Amino acid sequence: DTGVSQNPRHKITKRGQNVTFRCDPISEHNRLYWYRQTLGQGPEFLTYFQNEAQLEKSRLLSDRFSAERPKGSFSTLEIQRTEQGDSAMYLCASSLGTDLNYGYTFGSGTRLTVV
Amino acid sequence: GQQLNQSPQSMFIQEGEDVSMNCTSSSIFNTWLWYKQDPGEGPVLLIALYKAGELTSNGRLTAQFGITRKDSFLNISASIPSDVGIYFCVNQGAQKLVFGQGTRLTINP
């Protein structure tokens, strides 16, 4: 499978716990993006990496959120001290630069439920 | 910031009907993208538009980039059950995608 892989697909956690999600992009893609999608809304940009460098972070990404892409391949998104408002689908996407001919390839997402 | 307004928010149609949805923005765009999201999956690119006035087809899908560069529409002809899902208009900025709130399409067999 050469698509974008996200794990886990679903995560249920208690409020206050930390959670970590993983994204494996398409291997030759140098850009990796994280988006968050709440019910009834379109995905919203959180952050992106070019290779291992994190180049932009949305103001949606509070201090409790941290993302890494240590070797320029897979990425992790950690949420500390989860809150009920963090419940959402977290989508990862990758692209080869911003080449519109290829577009972005999204993974199937990790659905987080904070109880 | 950019705002994308899609209409309608939801549609309930019979199989075989044609579908039309549109998107307007508060800003001028250089690119319009249309994505579809199936339940439980990530969005998938359907059509990309690069020039004002451009009309592009992909099978039963047709999309147009408005002359004012502030709007776009997507048409689906002869709908089939697998067309069910959420359709997003999207602007591609230099660093990120900005999504509309989506049009949810439901098809009655």
Side-chain angles (χ1 to χ4, degrees):
Chain A
D1 185 6
T2 58
V4 176
S5 177
Q6 291 190 246
N7 289 288
R9 290 294 307 271
H10 303 275
K11 178 71 177 179
I12 300 175
T13 191
K14 291 184 178 180
R15 190 174 51 188
Q17 298 294 305
N18 299 344
V19 293
T20 300
F21 312 139
R22 176 178 169 124
C23 172
D24 288 89
I26 293 173
S27 58
E28 61 266 29
H29 284 185
N30 59 343
R31 288 198 173 190
L32 185 149
Y33 309 82
W34 285 100
Y35 285 76
R36 182 176 72 184
Q37 185 177 23
T38 53
L39 205 59
Q41 299 298 317
E44 296 174 290
F45 171 80
L46 290 179
T47 188
Y48 92 96
F49 294 83
Q50 179 153 318
N51 300 313
E52 66 275 8
Q54 188 174 16
L55 297 185
E56 185 173 344
K57 293 194 290 186
S58 161
R59 63 178 184 273
L60 293 175
L61 215 64
S62 75
D63 291 344
R64 296 183 299 104
F65 289 70
S66 63
E68 294 182 346
R69 194 182 183 198
K71 297 181 180 179
S73 56
F74 74 91
S75 175
T76 58
L77 177 67
E78 180 183 17
I79 309 175
Q80 295 182 330
R81 304 181 303 282
T82 52
E83 302 173 355
Q84 287 189 320
D86 297 332
S87 295
M89 173 80 89
Y90 290 84
L91 292 162
C92 175
S94 68
S95 72
L96 192 61
T98 57
D99 190 332
L100 290 176
N101 289 326
Y102 294 94
Y104 290 49
T105 301
F106 280 85
S108 299
T110 294
R111 180 168 296 283
L112 173 66
T113 303
V114 181
V115 297
Chain B
Q2 294 174 342
Q3 285 193 341
L4 295 175
N5 297 306
Q6 289 189 244
S7 65
Q9 290 189 10
S10 59
M11 304 182 72
F12 298 85
I13 63 168
Q14 297 293 326
E15 183 177 350
E17 287 185 15
D18 296 343
V19 172
S20 183
M21 61 189 77
N22 65 61
C23 186
T24 60
S25 76
S26 56
S27 306
I28 290 174
F29 284 174
N30 292 320
T31 306
W32 281 97
L33 307 175
W34 284 92
Y35 276 76
K36 183 195 176 196
Q37 186 174 28
D38 290 333
E41 299 296 329
V44 174
L45 180 66
L46 297 175
I47 289 181
L49 301 161
Y50 305 108
K51 295 191 307 185
E54 180 180 358
L55 184 72
T56 296
S57 293
N58 178 6
R60 294 178 296 105
L61 276 61
T62 302
Q64 184 159 30
F65 192 147
I67 290 291
T68 64
R69 295 168 62 193
K70 289 186 173 183
D71 64 324
S72 176
F73 72 74
L74 175 70
N75 288 342
I76 306 172
S77 62
S79 58
I80 60 177
S82 63
D83 292 332
V84 165
I86 305 175
Y87 292 80
F88 293 101
C89 64
V90 181
N91 172 241
Q92 176 158 353
Q95 315 300 348
K96 57 182 175 283
L97 302 179
V98 177
F99 285 75
Q101 78 273 31
T103 292
R104 181 180 295 274
L105 180 62
T106 303
I107 298 176
N108 298 317

